[in-house]
Amino acid sequence: MMNANFKTAAALMPAWKQKLEAGIPPTLYPVGLGGFTHVRIGPGLLTLVSGPPGLGKTALVNQWVVDALRASPELRALVVNVESAPEMLLDRQLSRLSGINASLIRDRATLDPERLQFGFDVLDTVAERLAFVNSPYTLEHVAAVVDDFHPGLIVIDYTQRVPPSGTAGPDLRQTVTATMQYLRRFTDEGLAVIAVAALARGKDKSGSTYSGAGLASFRESSELEYGADDAYLLMPAETGAEFGAMKLHHLKARHGEQVNLLLQFDGAHQSFGAVDVAEPANDGLTPDVIAELWAGNDLGGDA
């Protein structure tokens, strides 16, 4: 039996059993051109990405978006970025795809015409399926653009700056909770959502720090980690690692195993590559430790 308010298991089982018996997997949008085959982005999934400022969260997420569009010709993506103009985001992708130094592209210097054309050619294949939201940066406005553009993938960068109308105020936790509930409405409609979130600083003897960040460090609200299907934390690799070495900590995986990735960030070309899978996947975050982190989720601090 089905109605507007509930669905019985009996009503769901025929289609569910047919997919299982036919071996039909869930739809995913591959972002593995840089080695990210373990990253699950697809309809109905909310993927959370956080990390300290300046490490390349936006570059990483937009790399995933462009590579997902390249791998899935029917996919359309909508990017909401409150800090970077669309032309700046395209500059970075052009640098990655062409191999031309990002500073040369930014300064509009004399560029290698063959490399430049190669980058243009790749971007041309996705340009009609990639859109950027103009202000106002509210989720109601985003929803209106979704109705016009019909994307399969939405990027919110970053979550704390794109609230539902009327919720912005002194209680940032309440605002972020409302934002995550709104984003879940998008996934309930079958959209994929990547939400970039600011990270809270902790404190040590020297003052505020991002060291030791974990599930409890997603700024303002435990609803961030509760509402996400996958939660990633981008951090510098261990002390002594080569310049640009990063680690993508997979802090939560609602539908599979947690797989951490060692990354190399090429800042000159705004490009990430996955170097290896890091073990153990949970970084020692046992269920007891995670419960303690959630219980102590009041770190405060700036993005």
Side-chain angles (χ1 to χ4, degrees):
M1 177 180 179
M2 288 190 181
N3 68 17
N5 297 315
F6 67 89
K7 302 173 184 177
T8 66
L12 292 168
M13 284 183 69
W16 172 67
K17 288 170 62 178
Q18 182 181 18
K19 289 181 180 179
L20 282 171
E21 292 170 349
I24 301 174
T27 299
L28 294 174
Y29 303 134
V31 296
L33 295 181
F36 296 98
T37 55
H38 294 282
V39 176
R40 295 172 61 87
I41 294 171
L45 298 179
L46 197 161
T47 303
L48 182 67
V49 178
S50 189
L55 287 187
K57 298 184 297 297
T58 295
L60 176 62
V61 167
N62 281 278
Q63 176 175 325
W64 286 352
V65 170
V66 170
D67 286 351
L69 291 169
R70 294 168 68 189
S72 303
E74 302 303 317
L75 178 63
R76 298 165 72 85
L78 181 66
V79 174
V80 186
N81 189 300
V82 300
E83 295 186 331
S84 299
E87 292 82 2
M88 183 180 296
L89 299 177
L90 290 174
D91 280 354
R92 295 173 181 177
Q93 290 305 303
L94 180 61
S95 174
R96 178 177 75 92
L97 296 168
S98 68
I100 299 173
N101 192 292
S103 63
L104 296 178
I105 293 176
R106 182 184 63 242
D107 295 339
R108 303 303 190 249
T110 301
L111 306 175
D112 183 312
E114 291 186 4
R115 289 187 177 186
L116 187 63
Q117 189 59 52
F118 179 84
F120 284 152
D121 288 345
V122 175
L123 287 174
D124 281 343
T125 67
V126 306
E128 288 292 338
R129 296 179 289 119
L130 174 61
F132 303 91
V133 171
N134 297 324
S135 62
Y137 297 115
T138 66
L139 287 173
E140 287 80 5
H141 181 60
V142 173
V145 178
V146 168
D147 289 340
D148 289 338
F149 186 65
H150 305 293
L153 170 62
I154 304 173
V155 173
I156 306 294
D157 188 359
Y158 59 93
T159 307
Q160 287 91 340
R161 295 282 300 278
V162 188
S165 295
T167 61
D171 191 343
L172 295 178
R173 288 178 181 270
Q174 183 176 355
T175 298
V176 173
T177 296
T179 296
M180 290 299 286
Q181 291 171 346
Y182 204 112
L183 294 183
R184 265 302 178 193
R185 290 162 59 184
F186 286 137
T187 60
D188 289 344
E189 293 298 320
L191 301 180
V193 175
I194 302 175
V196 181
L199 186 68
R201 286 192 179 102
K203 296 184 182 299
D204 62 14
K205 294 180 180 179
S206 62
S208 62
T209 178
Y210 292 106
S211 177
L215 272 173
S217 303
F218 294 117
R219 189 177 176 190
E220 264 86 62
S221 175
S222 60
E223 184 62 25
L224 285 168
E225 65 262 20
Y226 285 137
D229 293 288
D230 288 271
Y232 291 98
L233 185 63
L234 182 65
M235 297 288 287
E238 290 77 4
T239 302
E242 63 181 298
F243 181 77
M246 304 284 181
K247 189 172 182 180
L248 189 64
H249 300 258
H250 196 180
L251 299 180
K252 178 183 179 183
R254 178 170 284 157
H255 306 291
E257 67 172 322
Q258 295 164 246
V259 179
N260 294 339
L261 292 175
L262 296 178
L263 309 179
Q264 184 65 39
F265 179 51
D266 178 0
H269 302 98
Q270 294 293 296
S271 176
F272 279 91
V275 178
D276 199 359
V277 176
E279 296 293 344
N282 66 2
D283 290 329
L285 294 178
T286 65
D288 289 341
V289 173
I290 291 173
E292 291 178 6
L293 288 172
W294 276 344
N297 187 33
D298 188 18
L299 299 181
D302 298 323

